[in-house]
């Protein structure tokens, strides 16, 4: 089996938790797993997909799936490709496995709106699609996206710039490593969290509740996700026609100390 990760991979990202379960499930089914990480865009994606074909893989899990000229060769060779976590609109033919998270994001957005938040920024890395574009039920929240990667100096400069705009954000969101870095940046800039600025993580890290400012986050059951992806692939290997899978009941919103009400100009919090 091939697993192709299309991301600027951080070892603490949620994909590593998914892989732990997915690889275990495939090995229990008698499959050996080859793992590749594409960091350089479409050329690297094509190179890895071609390499998997040359090695005679039975199938490929494609995280953050993007269009590729190689996908037609996979179809002709009857080698299934299953998209996981995200699928670009340019390759709708790939079956897709992801969390059924629409309701959880709507709950989070509603809570943040109730706290008075109206302008938010989401930090992404490596071209990863922002969550606020994937799940759009965000009511009165207006989002801006910033793809910064993991450079702390760049993040610090951007946070300082954002807070100096005429319509500054009161909420920042990022994956877990990015959210932890945001807490550090806010401390250096002497911006108190959550009194002046709220921070949300799209992933619930193990240490999230133990930080000096515990992180509000979205917790996902990656065991459920990994098993669902493995079942889809095993069905495809048996020749079954597989469809998109929304994994139910696998996410929840956890509110901790990094989110709070937006302060009014006189310093009184809006509720």
């Amino acid at each position: 089996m091939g697993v192709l990760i299309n991301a600027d991979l951080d070892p603490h990202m949620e994909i590593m938790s998914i892989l732990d379960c997915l690889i275990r499930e495939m090995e229990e089914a008698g499959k050996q797993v080859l793992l590749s990480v594409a960091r350089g865009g479409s050329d690297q994606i094509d190179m890895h997909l071609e390499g998997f074909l040359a090695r005679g893989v039975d199938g490929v899990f494609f995280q953050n799936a993007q269009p590729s000229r190689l996908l037609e060769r996979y179809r002709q060779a009857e080698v299934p490709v299953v998209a996981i976590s995200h699928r670009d609109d340019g390759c709708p033919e790939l079956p897709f496995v992801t969390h059924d998270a629409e309701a959880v994001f709507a709950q989070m957005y509603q809570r943040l709106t109730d706290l008075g938040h109206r302008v938010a920024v989401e930090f992404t890395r490596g071209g990863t699609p922002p969550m606020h574009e994937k799940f759009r039920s965000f009511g009165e929240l207006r989002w801006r996206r910033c793809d910064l990667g993991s450079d702390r100096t760049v993040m610090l400069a951007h946070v300082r710039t954002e807070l100096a705009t005429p319509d500054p954000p009161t909420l920042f969101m990022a994956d877990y490593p990015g959210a932890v870095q945001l807490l550090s940046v806010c401390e250096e800039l002497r911006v108190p969290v959550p009194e002046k600025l709220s921070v949300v993580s799209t992933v619930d890290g193990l240490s999230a509740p133990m930080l000096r400012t515990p992180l509000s986050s979205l917790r996902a059951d990656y065991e459920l996700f990994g098993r669902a992806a493995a079942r889809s692939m095993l069905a495809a290997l048996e020749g079954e026609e597989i469809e998109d899978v929304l994994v139910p009941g696998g996410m929840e919103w956890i509110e901790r100390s990094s989110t709070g009400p937006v302060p009014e100009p006189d310093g009184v919090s809006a509720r």
Side-chain angles (χ1 to χ4, degrees), residues 126-154:
T128 302
M131 290 293 188
H132 73 266
E133 291 183 7
K134 186 175 180 181
F135 302 102
R136 295 180 175 272
S137 303
F138 40 75
E140 299 178 55
L141 274 171
R142 290 182 285 115
W143 286 91
R144 297 197 287 261
R145 175 192 181 183
C146 184
D147 196 310
L148 291 182
S150 54
D151 189 302
R152 185 181 186 280
T153 302
V154 175

Side-chain angles (χ1 to χ4, degrees), residues 16-188:
M16 301 306 292
S17 299
I18 296 170
L19 288 176
D20 182 56
C21 176
L22 188 152
I23 291 173
R24 184 173 67 249
E25 292 276 327
M26 298 311 298
E27 288 178 341
E28 289 176 356
K31 301 292 183 183
Q32 184 180 21
V33 178
L34 307 174
L35 174 63
S36 292
V37 179
R39 298 178 183 271
S42 59
D43 288 344
Q44 277 219 348
I45 290 172
D46 289 350
M47 178 187 71
H48 289 302
L49 288 174
E50 192 153 23
F52 285 155
L53 278 177
R55 288 168 175 77
V57 296
D58 296 319
V60 171
F61 296 97
F62 191 176
Q63 184 265 351
N64 191 15
Q66 306 290 312
S68 168
R69 59 182 175 80
L70 272 300
L71 293 177
E72 176 59 23
R73 286 177 55 185
Y74 275 82
R75 188 190 67 78
Q76 293 174 358
E78 298 184 343
V79 176
V81 178
V82 175
I84 58 174
S85 297
H86 174 75
R87 176 188 61 194
D88 188 89
D89 292 340
C91 47
E93 73 281 2
L94 297 183
F96 177 42
V97 180
T98 192
H99 280 110
D100 186 3
E102 192 74 41
V104 175
F105 271 86
Q107 176 191 358
M108 179 185 74
Y109 293 143
Q110 184 59 58
R111 174 58 178 159
L112 295 172
T113 299
D114 290 345
L115 288 171
H117 296 283
R118 296 295 181 269
V119 181
V121 172
E122 180 176 356
F123 291 100
T124 58
R125 67 178 82 217
T128 302
M131 290 293 188
H132 73 266
E133 291 183 7
K134 186 175 180 181
F135 302 102
R136 295 180 175 272
S137 303
F138 40 75
E140 299 178 55
L141 274 171
R142 290 182 285 115
W143 286 91
R144 297 197 287 261
R145 175 192 181 183
C146 184
D147 196 310
L148 291 182
S150 54
D151 189 302
R152 185 181 186 280
T153 302
V154 175
M155 177 180 281
L156 188 147
H158 192 82
V159 169
R160 183 184 284 117
T161 299
E162 284 283 356
L163 295 178
T165 59
D167 190 19
T170 58
L171 170 72
F172 286 141
M173 185 165 76
D175 63 15
Y176 184 71
V180 172
Q181 193 162 259
L182 276 167
L183 292 178
S184 173
V185 164
C186 288
E187 184 174 2
E188 181 171 339

